Amino acid sequence: MASRRHFIKTSGTFALGAFMLPAELKKPKNVGVQLYSVREEMLADAKGTLQKLAKIGYKELESARSEKGNYYGLTPKEIRKIASDLGMTVRSGHVGIDKNWLKSVDAAAEAGQSYLICSSMPASGQTIENYQKTADIFNKAAEDCKKRNLIFGYHNHEEEFEKVNGQVLYDILLDRTDPELVKMEMDLGWLVVTGNDPFKYFAKYPNRFPLWHLKDMDLKKKNSVEFGKGGVDIKHLLKNGDKAGMKYYFVEQEEYTSSALKSLTDDMQYLKNI
């Protein structure tokens, strides 16, 4: 399986943007985790790994494609049952828009998901034309999801924020898709390291970002670090989550200081302490 780690060409700092009004920081409830964070562990022992995540305190799950399928060798019904027994919910999942797309939609509905997220561009090409074509594909994919009571979304990396002829490619996806059907899962770490301000997007495109990938990043090395060790203002983001329209967030660790479960334990402790 190809790595989800992407290397960016530019870096920047986190401009605080328009959402600077004081807000109360609520204690974390129903914290989610992107299962790519424990990809090796899930492949080796899916049920056991879910049990460990539940013990740490994670409540919401987002799956990701693997060499064993969308649910790490489990069937949609199996992962739904295991999660339910542990007091967890399979809320979302990352898939690709490919020849198995409709099967992925059916499986997501069977797993009890609310969201189905396209995790990468269905066609390569950093051109305006390709992003326009992709936006049209997303509109159709969102219609497919709606028929199964699922909400469709797209997850960004860093390359979407490149400009062509002065136009940000990511904005084409937002402007050309149906705002009622196509939502975005903002990966805050990858956005921040490109020098963009997430709150400007939240203000310009209200109600388009119900899902977040919450991660901290070393802004110089451009890699994932545990919460509090990088340059992403986790506290400020969470204080303003309601204003931004965020409904669920998933902690994601792409790299670790020692191990995946230790990093996720540290992340949860950080959330409890802020």
Side-chain angles (χ1 to χ4, degrees), residues 70-105:
N70 292 347
Y71 304 104
Y72 308 92
L74 299 173
T75 67
K77 287 184 177 179
E78 285 172 341
I79 194 170
R80 182 177 186 172
K81 177 67 163 53
I82 293 169
S84 179
D85 290 345
L86 293 170
M88 307 166 91
T89 300
V90 184
R91 184 66 59 186
S92 179
H94 277 203
V95 299
I97 299 179
D98 53 21
K99 64 180 181 180
N100 295 316
W101 164 246
L102 291 179
K103 291 182 180 179
S104 293
V105 174

Side-chain angles (χ1 to χ4, degrees), residues 12-82:
T13 57
F14 184 178
L16 292 180
F19 286 69
M20 286 301 294
L21 295 176
E24 179 184 356
L25 184 61
K26 302 173 184 177
K27 287 294 181 182
K29 293 166 59 175
N30 298 327
V31 179
V33 60
Q34 162 56 248
L35 293 178
Y36 181 79
S37 304
V38 283
R39 49 200 176 273
E40 298 300 331
E41 292 80 1
M42 286 295 295
L43 287 171
D45 180 9
K47 183 176 181 179
T49 301
L50 292 175
Q51 290 171 337
K52 291 174 183 177
L53 291 172
K55 187 174 181 180
I56 294 170
Y58 290 100
K59 296 293 186 181
E60 302 283 343
L61 301 175
E62 183 175 61
S63 65
R65 287 187 299 172
S66 75
E67 61 193 56
K68 290 185 177 181
N70 292 347
Y71 304 104
Y72 308 92
L74 299 173
T75 67
K77 287 184 177 179
E78 285 172 341
I79 194 170
R80 182 177 186 172
K81 177 67 163 53
I82 293 169

Side-chain angles (χ1 to χ4, degrees), residues 138-139 142-143 146 150-153 178-183:
F138 286 172
N139 282 324
E143 291 283 359
K146 184 180 180 180
L150 294 163
I151 299 170
F152 174 82
D178 185 337
E180 297 300 318
L181 292 179
V182 177
K183 304 299 182 180

Side-chain angles (χ1 to χ4, degrees), residues 221-235:
K221 295 181 180 179
K222 288 88 176 178
N223 67 307
S224 173
V225 296
E226 292 81 9
F227 288 173
K229 295 182 178 180
V232 179
D233 194 339
I234 302 294
K235 183 176 181 180

Side-chain angles (χ1 to χ4, degrees), residues 198-237:
F199 291 103
K200 290 183 178 179
Y201 274 95
F202 299 150
K204 184 177 180 182
Y205 299 99
N207 301 315
R208 296 298 300 273
F209 303 95
L211 304 185
W212 289 0
H213 269 192
L214 194 65
K215 66 171 65 161
D216 207 347
M217 301 282 283
D218 184 316
L219 300 185
K220 292 183 178 180
K221 295 181 180 179
K222 288 88 176 178
N223 67 307
S224 173
V225 296
E226 292 81 9
F227 288 173
K229 295 182 178 180
V232 179
D233 194 339
I234 302 294
K235 183 176 181 180
H236 177 66
L237 286 162

